Short mmCIF file of all heavy atoms in Angstrom, two decimals:
data_model
loop_
_atom_site.label_atom_id
_atom_site.label_comp_id
_atom_site.label_asym_id
_atom_site.label_seq_id
_atom_site.Cartn_x
_atom_site.Cartn_y
_atom_site.Cartn_z
N GLN A 3 4.36 6.19 -1.28
CA GLN A 3 4.02 4.90 -1.92
C GLN A 3 5.10 3.94 -2.02
O GLN A 3 5.00 2.76 -1.74
CB GLN A 3 3.45 5.17 -3.40
CG GLN A 3 2.18 5.86 -3.41
CD GLN A 3 1.02 4.89 -3.11
OE1 GLN A 3 0.82 3.78 -3.46
NE2 GLN A 3 0.36 5.26 -1.77
N ALA A 4 6.34 4.56 -2.21
CA ALA A 4 7.55 3.59 -2.41
C ALA A 4 7.87 3.00 -0.98
O ALA A 4 8.18 1.78 -1.00
CB ALA A 4 8.75 4.49 -2.85
N VAL A 5 7.67 3.72 0.11
CA VAL A 5 7.86 3.16 1.26
C VAL A 5 6.94 1.91 1.63
O VAL A 5 7.29 0.95 2.06
CB VAL A 5 7.71 4.25 2.50
CG1 VAL A 5 7.62 3.58 3.86
CG2 VAL A 5 8.84 5.22 2.39
N GLY A 6 5.68 2.15 1.18
CA GLY A 6 4.66 1.20 1.29
C GLY A 6 4.95 -0.13 0.49
O GLY A 6 4.96 -1.24 0.92
N LEU A 7 5.48 0.10 -0.79
CA LEU A 7 5.93 -0.99 -1.62
C LEU A 7 7.10 -1.76 -1.13
O LEU A 7 7.22 -2.88 -1.26
CB LEU A 7 5.98 -0.43 -3.03
CG LEU A 7 4.88 0.05 -3.75
CD1 LEU A 7 5.17 0.66 -5.15
CD2 LEU A 7 3.68 -0.99 -3.90
N CYS A 8 8.10 -0.88 -0.46
CA CYS A 8 9.26 -1.59 0.21
C CYS A 8 8.76 -2.46 1.29
O CYS A 8 9.26 -3.67 1.48
CB CYS A 8 10.19 -0.54 0.64
SG CYS A 8 11.08 0.24 -0.64
N TYR A 9 7.88 -2.05 2.14
CA TYR A 9 7.36 -2.89 3.15
C TYR A 9 6.80 -4.01 2.72
O TYR A 9 6.82 -5.18 3.24
CB TYR A 9 6.45 -2.07 4.25
CG TYR A 9 7.17 -1.32 5.26
CD1 TYR A 9 7.14 0.13 5.27
CD2 TYR A 9 7.95 -1.94 6.16
CE1 TYR A 9 7.82 0.83 6.27
CE2 TYR A 9 8.58 -1.33 7.16
CZ TYR A 9 8.54 0.11 7.25
OH TYR A 9 9.21 0.85 8.19
N LYS A 10 5.89 -3.89 1.65
CA LYS A 10 5.18 -5.01 1.03
C LYS A 10 6.34 -6.09 0.47
O LYS A 10 6.23 -7.35 0.79
CB LYS A 10 4.40 -4.64 -0.12
CG LYS A 10 3.72 -5.62 -0.88
CD LYS A 10 2.95 -5.02 -2.05
CE LYS A 10 2.72 -6.08 -3.07
NZ LYS A 10 2.27 -5.48 -4.36
N ALA A 11 7.35 -5.55 -0.08
CA ALA A 11 8.37 -6.52 -0.60
C ALA A 11 9.01 -7.35 0.47
O ALA A 11 9.43 -8.44 0.23
CB ALA A 11 9.42 -5.68 -1.39
N ILE A 12 9.23 -6.78 1.69
CA ILE A 12 9.88 -7.52 2.69
C ILE A 12 8.93 -8.24 3.65
O ILE A 12 9.28 -8.86 4.54
CB ILE A 12 10.84 -6.60 3.59
CG1 ILE A 12 10.00 -5.54 4.23
CG2 ILE A 12 11.95 -6.00 2.63
CD1 ILE A 12 10.74 -4.79 5.36
N GLY A 13 7.59 -8.16 3.26
CA GLY A 13 6.63 -9.00 4.00
C GLY A 13 6.04 -8.35 5.17
O GLY A 13 5.27 -9.10 5.97
N ASN A 14 6.22 -7.05 5.31
CA ASN A 14 5.74 -6.36 6.59
C ASN A 14 4.37 -5.71 6.03
O ASN A 14 4.30 -4.56 5.74
CB ASN A 14 6.64 -5.45 7.17
CG ASN A 14 6.11 -4.78 8.47
OD1 ASN A 14 4.88 -4.73 8.72
ND2 ASN A 14 7.03 -4.16 9.24
N TYR A 15 3.28 -6.57 6.02
CA TYR A 15 2.03 -6.06 5.42
C TYR A 15 1.27 -4.99 6.17
O TYR A 15 0.72 -4.20 5.56
CB TYR A 15 1.19 -7.27 4.97
CG TYR A 15 1.90 -8.24 4.12
CD1 TYR A 15 2.32 -9.56 4.60
CD2 TYR A 15 2.26 -7.90 2.82
CE1 TYR A 15 2.99 -10.43 3.75
CE2 TYR A 15 3.00 -8.79 1.92
CZ TYR A 15 3.29 -9.98 2.47
OH TYR A 15 3.91 -10.98 1.68
N LYS A 16 1.47 -5.08 7.46
CA LYS A 16 0.78 -4.06 8.22
C LYS A 16 1.33 -2.66 7.93
O LYS A 16 0.61 -1.69 7.76
CB LYS A 16 0.87 -4.45 9.75
CG LYS A 16 0.14 -3.48 10.70
CD LYS A 16 0.25 -3.87 12.07
CE LYS A 16 -0.60 -2.97 12.90
NZ LYS A 16 -0.76 -3.42 14.31
N ARG A 17 2.65 -2.58 7.95
CA ARG A 17 3.34 -1.21 7.69
C ARG A 17 3.01 -0.89 6.19
O ARG A 17 2.92 0.30 5.84
CB ARG A 17 4.82 -1.39 7.97
CG ARG A 17 5.12 -1.50 9.38
CD ARG A 17 4.66 -0.42 10.31
NE ARG A 17 5.26 0.81 10.01
CZ ARG A 17 4.86 2.04 10.45
NH1 ARG A 17 3.78 2.04 11.26
NH2 ARG A 17 5.53 3.11 10.17
N ALA A 18 3.05 -1.96 5.30
CA ALA A 18 2.82 -1.59 3.83
C ALA A 18 1.47 -1.04 3.64
O ALA A 18 1.33 0.08 2.94
CB ALA A 18 2.98 -2.85 3.08
N GLU A 19 0.46 -1.56 4.32
CA GLU A 19 -0.89 -1.01 4.20
C GLU A 19 -0.99 0.38 4.77
O GLU A 19 -1.58 1.26 4.16
CB GLU A 19 -1.90 -2.08 4.89
CG GLU A 19 -3.39 -1.55 4.80
CD GLU A 19 -4.33 -2.48 5.55
OE1 GLU A 19 -4.02 -2.97 6.56
OE2 GLU A 19 -5.38 -2.60 5.04
N TYR A 20 -0.38 0.61 5.89
CA TYR A 20 -0.35 1.77 6.62
C TYR A 20 0.12 2.94 5.54
O TYR A 20 -0.51 4.01 5.33
CB TYR A 20 0.44 1.86 7.80
CG TYR A 20 0.72 3.36 8.40
CD1 TYR A 20 -0.23 3.91 9.03
CD2 TYR A 20 1.91 3.93 8.02
CE1 TYR A 20 0.11 5.37 9.47
CE2 TYR A 20 2.19 5.26 8.37
CZ TYR A 20 1.19 5.86 9.14
OH TYR A 20 1.49 7.20 9.56
N TRP A 21 1.34 2.69 4.95
CA TRP A 21 2.00 3.64 4.00
C TRP A 21 1.25 3.82 2.67
O TRP A 21 1.16 4.89 2.21
CB TRP A 21 3.42 3.27 3.78
CG TRP A 21 4.25 3.62 5.16
CD1 TRP A 21 4.76 2.81 5.92
CD2 TRP A 21 4.75 4.93 5.35
NE1 TRP A 21 5.46 3.41 6.93
CE2 TRP A 21 5.47 4.93 6.62
CE3 TRP A 21 4.57 6.24 4.79
CZ2 TRP A 21 5.94 5.87 7.25
CZ3 TRP A 21 5.11 7.39 5.46
CH2 TRP A 21 5.92 7.12 6.66
N LEU A 22 0.59 2.72 2.20
CA LEU A 22 -0.06 2.86 0.96
C LEU A 22 -1.43 3.77 1.22
O LEU A 22 -1.72 4.57 0.40
CB LEU A 22 -0.39 1.50 0.49
CG LEU A 22 0.71 0.73 -0.13
CD1 LEU A 22 0.35 -0.69 -0.43
CD2 LEU A 22 1.27 1.33 -1.36
N LEU A 23 -2.05 3.36 2.36
CA LEU A 23 -3.28 4.18 2.64
C LEU A 23 -2.87 5.58 2.91
O LEU A 23 -3.64 6.58 2.61
CB LEU A 23 -4.04 3.54 3.80
CG LEU A 23 -4.66 2.27 3.50
CD1 LEU A 23 -5.29 1.66 4.70
CD2 LEU A 23 -5.84 2.44 2.43
N ARG A 24 -1.79 5.92 3.62
CA ARG A 24 -1.35 7.15 3.88
C ARG A 24 -1.15 8.00 2.63
O ARG A 24 -1.51 9.17 2.52
CB ARG A 24 -0.12 7.22 4.76
CG ARG A 24 0.40 8.58 5.15
CD ARG A 24 1.55 8.68 6.00
NE ARG A 24 1.96 9.98 6.15
CZ ARG A 24 3.24 10.37 6.68
NH1 ARG A 24 3.85 9.40 7.21
NH2 ARG A 24 3.55 11.53 6.77
N GLY A 25 -0.46 7.39 1.57
CA GLY A 25 -0.23 8.09 0.34
C GLY A 25 -1.67 8.45 -0.29
O GLY A 25 -1.75 9.54 -0.89
N GLU A 26 -2.64 7.65 -0.28
CA GLU A 26 -3.93 7.94 -0.64
C GLU A 26 -4.56 9.07 0.08
O GLU A 26 -5.22 10.06 -0.49
CB GLU A 26 -4.87 6.79 -0.73
CG GLU A 26 -6.19 7.07 -1.21
CD GLU A 26 -7.19 5.86 -1.01
OE1 GLU A 26 -7.13 5.15 0.04
OE2 GLU A 26 -7.87 5.65 -1.98
N GLN A 27 -4.49 9.02 1.31
CA GLN A 27 -5.10 10.03 2.33
C GLN A 27 -4.51 11.41 2.15
O GLN A 27 -5.09 12.48 2.24
CB GLN A 27 -5.12 9.51 3.64
CG GLN A 27 -5.91 8.34 3.89
CD GLN A 27 -5.79 7.72 5.28
OE1 GLN A 27 -4.81 8.02 5.95
NE2 GLN A 27 -6.58 6.70 5.59
N GLU A 28 -3.16 11.44 2.02
CA GLU A 28 -2.37 12.66 2.07
C GLU A 28 -2.68 13.58 0.78
O GLU A 28 -2.75 14.70 0.83
CB GLU A 28 -0.96 12.32 2.13
CG GLU A 28 -0.47 11.78 3.49
CD GLU A 28 -0.39 12.85 4.56
OE1 GLU A 28 -0.16 14.00 4.33
OE2 GLU A 28 -0.42 12.40 5.76
N ASN A 29 -2.80 12.88 -0.37
CA ASN A 29 -2.90 13.63 -1.58
C ASN A 29 -4.09 13.23 -2.36
O ASN A 29 -4.26 13.67 -3.55
CB ASN A 29 -1.62 13.42 -2.37
CG ASN A 29 -1.34 14.57 -3.31
OD1 ASN A 29 -1.48 15.75 -2.93
ND2 ASN A 29 -0.95 14.18 -4.60
N GLY A 30 -4.99 12.48 -1.84
CA GLY A 30 -6.13 12.00 -2.55
C GLY A 30 -5.68 10.90 -3.58
O GLY A 30 -4.61 10.70 -3.80
N PRO A 31 -6.73 10.09 -3.95
CA PRO A 31 -6.48 8.97 -4.85
C PRO A 31 -6.06 9.47 -6.24
O PRO A 31 -6.47 10.41 -6.78
CB PRO A 31 -7.71 8.15 -4.85
CG PRO A 31 -8.80 9.19 -4.54
CD PRO A 31 -8.08 10.25 -3.67
N ASP A 32 -5.21 8.61 -6.85
CA ASP A 32 -4.84 8.76 -8.26
C ASP A 32 -4.72 7.37 -8.80
O ASP A 32 -4.89 6.36 -8.09
CB ASP A 32 -3.63 9.67 -8.46
CG ASP A 32 -2.31 9.03 -7.85
OD1 ASP A 32 -2.39 7.83 -7.49
OD2 ASP A 32 -1.43 9.80 -7.80
N SER A 33 -4.52 7.19 -10.13
CA SER A 33 -4.53 5.86 -10.69
C SER A 33 -3.38 5.00 -10.10
O SER A 33 -3.57 3.84 -9.82
CB SER A 33 -4.38 6.03 -12.29
OG SER A 33 -3.21 6.64 -12.64
N SER A 34 -2.23 5.64 -9.81
CA SER A 34 -1.07 4.80 -9.44
C SER A 34 -1.27 4.36 -7.97
O SER A 34 -1.21 3.07 -7.61
CB SER A 34 0.21 5.71 -9.39
OG SER A 34 1.27 5.06 -8.80
N THR A 35 -1.58 5.24 -7.10
CA THR A 35 -2.16 4.92 -5.66
C THR A 35 -3.25 3.84 -5.60
O THR A 35 -3.07 2.88 -4.95
CB THR A 35 -2.60 6.08 -4.84
OG1 THR A 35 -1.48 7.12 -5.05
CG2 THR A 35 -2.81 5.74 -3.53
N THR A 36 -4.14 4.06 -6.40
CA THR A 36 -5.35 3.10 -6.54
C THR A 36 -4.92 1.77 -6.96
O THR A 36 -5.33 0.74 -6.51
CB THR A 36 -6.43 3.70 -7.36
OG1 THR A 36 -6.80 5.08 -6.81
CG2 THR A 36 -7.68 2.82 -7.34
N TYR A 37 -4.03 1.74 -8.10
CA TYR A 37 -3.53 0.49 -8.56
C TYR A 37 -2.69 -0.22 -7.46
O TYR A 37 -2.91 -1.51 -7.22
CB TYR A 37 -2.75 0.63 -9.85
CG TYR A 37 -1.93 -0.73 -10.16
CD1 TYR A 37 -2.62 -1.59 -10.87
CD2 TYR A 37 -0.68 -0.96 -9.87
CE1 TYR A 37 -2.17 -2.90 -11.10
CE2 TYR A 37 -0.12 -2.13 -10.15
CZ TYR A 37 -0.79 -3.14 -10.74
OH TYR A 37 -0.15 -4.21 -10.99
N ASN A 38 -1.91 0.50 -6.79
CA ASN A 38 -1.09 -0.11 -5.74
C ASN A 38 -1.90 -0.74 -4.70
O ASN A 38 -1.61 -1.87 -4.17
CB ASN A 38 -0.03 0.86 -5.16
CG ASN A 38 1.07 1.24 -6.12
OD1 ASN A 38 1.49 0.39 -6.98
ND2 ASN A 38 1.69 2.38 -5.97
N LEU A 39 -2.98 -0.02 -4.17
CA LEU A 39 -3.72 -0.56 -3.16
C LEU A 39 -4.68 -1.88 -3.72
O LEU A 39 -4.77 -2.77 -2.96
CB LEU A 39 -4.74 0.49 -2.71
CG LEU A 39 -4.10 1.42 -1.70
CD1 LEU A 39 -4.90 2.66 -1.51
CD2 LEU A 39 -3.94 0.79 -0.40
N ALA A 40 -5.09 -1.66 -4.89
CA ALA A 40 -5.81 -2.85 -5.53
C ALA A 40 -4.91 -4.05 -5.49
O ALA A 40 -5.36 -5.18 -5.13
CB ALA A 40 -6.41 -2.51 -6.86
N ASN A 41 -3.71 -3.90 -5.99
CA ASN A 41 -2.78 -5.04 -6.13
C ASN A 41 -2.41 -5.52 -4.82
O ASN A 41 -2.17 -6.68 -4.54
CB ASN A 41 -1.58 -4.50 -6.95
CG ASN A 41 -0.66 -5.66 -7.39
OD1 ASN A 41 0.26 -5.93 -6.48
ND2 ASN A 41 -0.84 -6.24 -8.43
N PHE A 42 -2.16 -4.62 -3.78
CA PHE A 42 -1.80 -5.05 -2.48
C PHE A 42 -2.79 -6.03 -1.91
O PHE A 42 -2.66 -6.96 -1.48
CB PHE A 42 -1.61 -3.79 -1.60
CG PHE A 42 -1.32 -4.11 -0.11
CD1 PHE A 42 -0.16 -4.48 0.30
CD2 PHE A 42 -2.47 -3.96 0.77
CE1 PHE A 42 0.03 -4.92 1.64
CE2 PHE A 42 -2.22 -4.33 2.17
CZ PHE A 42 -1.08 -4.81 2.63
N TYR A 43 -4.09 -5.55 -1.87
CA TYR A 43 -5.16 -6.34 -1.36
C TYR A 43 -5.38 -7.70 -2.20
O TYR A 43 -5.73 -8.70 -1.58
CB TYR A 43 -6.44 -5.61 -1.24
CG TYR A 43 -6.38 -4.50 -0.24
CD1 TYR A 43 -6.58 -3.27 -0.40
CD2 TYR A 43 -6.13 -4.85 1.16
CE1 TYR A 43 -6.46 -2.26 0.51
CE2 TYR A 43 -6.06 -3.87 2.20
CZ TYR A 43 -6.21 -2.62 1.83
OH TYR A 43 -6.18 -1.67 2.80
N TRP A 44 -5.18 -7.56 -3.41
CA TRP A 44 -5.33 -8.92 -4.28
C TRP A 44 -4.24 -9.82 -3.82
O TRP A 44 -4.60 -11.10 -3.61
CB TRP A 44 -5.06 -8.39 -5.78
CG TRP A 44 -4.97 -9.49 -6.67
CD1 TRP A 44 -3.86 -10.14 -7.23
CD2 TRP A 44 -6.14 -10.31 -7.13
NE1 TRP A 44 -4.29 -11.15 -8.01
CE2 TRP A 44 -5.65 -11.36 -7.98
CE3 TRP A 44 -7.54 -10.19 -7.00
CZ2 TRP A 44 -6.43 -12.32 -8.68
CZ3 TRP A 44 -8.40 -11.07 -7.73
CH2 TRP A 44 -7.76 -12.12 -8.50
N ARG A 45 -3.02 -9.39 -3.63
CA ARG A 45 -1.96 -10.28 -3.30
C ARG A 45 -2.05 -10.71 -1.81
O ARG A 45 -1.57 -11.78 -1.50
CB ARG A 45 -0.64 -9.70 -3.42
CG ARG A 45 -0.36 -9.39 -5.05
CD ARG A 45 1.16 -9.08 -5.30
NE ARG A 45 1.31 -8.81 -6.71
CZ ARG A 45 1.40 -9.71 -7.58
NH1 ARG A 45 1.42 -11.08 -7.22
NH2 ARG A 45 1.74 -9.49 -8.83
N ARG A 46 -2.87 -10.06 -1.06
CA ARG A 46 -3.22 -10.51 0.33
C ARG A 46 -4.42 -11.36 0.36
O ARG A 46 -4.91 -11.76 1.37
CB ARG A 46 -3.38 -9.25 1.16
CG ARG A 46 -2.15 -8.45 1.46
CD ARG A 46 -0.98 -8.97 2.14
NE ARG A 46 -1.44 -9.30 3.37
CZ ARG A 46 -0.95 -10.47 4.09
NH1 ARG A 46 -0.14 -11.19 3.56
NH2 ARG A 46 -1.43 -10.73 5.28
N ASN A 47 -4.93 -11.59 -0.83
CA ASN A 47 -6.15 -12.62 -1.07
C ASN A 47 -7.34 -11.76 -0.51
O ASN A 47 -8.34 -12.61 0.03
CB ASN A 47 -5.91 -13.84 -0.49
CG ASN A 47 -6.81 -14.84 -1.30
OD1 ASN A 47 -7.11 -14.66 -2.40
ND2 ASN A 47 -7.12 -15.96 -0.57
#
C-alpha cells in the first residue's frame, strides 16, 4: 500500500493504482486498503 501511495504522491497514477489494487488482491480487502482505493479514485475524479 505504501508503494502505491508513494506513486500517487509523485503523480504516477497508473503505477499507484497497480500497487493499491495489488495490496487488495494479495491479502484481501480491509478498511485501510479500501479507504486508500476509495480516496485514490475520488482524487482521480
Side-chain angles (χ1 to χ4, degrees):
Q3 288 291 298
V5 170
L7 295 174
C8 288
Y9 274 117
K10 177 182 158 193
I12 63 170
N14 188 335
Y15 301 113
K16 184 175 182 172
R17 296 298 296 166
E19 182 179 34
Y20 168 81
W21 284 100
L22 291 170
L23 289 171
R24 181 174 170 191
E26 179 187 42
Q27 293 166 354
E28 294 279 337
N29 204 40
D32 63 14
S33 59
S34 176
T35 303
T36 304
Y37 171 78
N38 286 334
L39 283 161
N41 186 273
F42 172 78
Y43 289 119
W44 174 261
R45 295 193 181 278
R46 298 293 301 144
N47 206 30

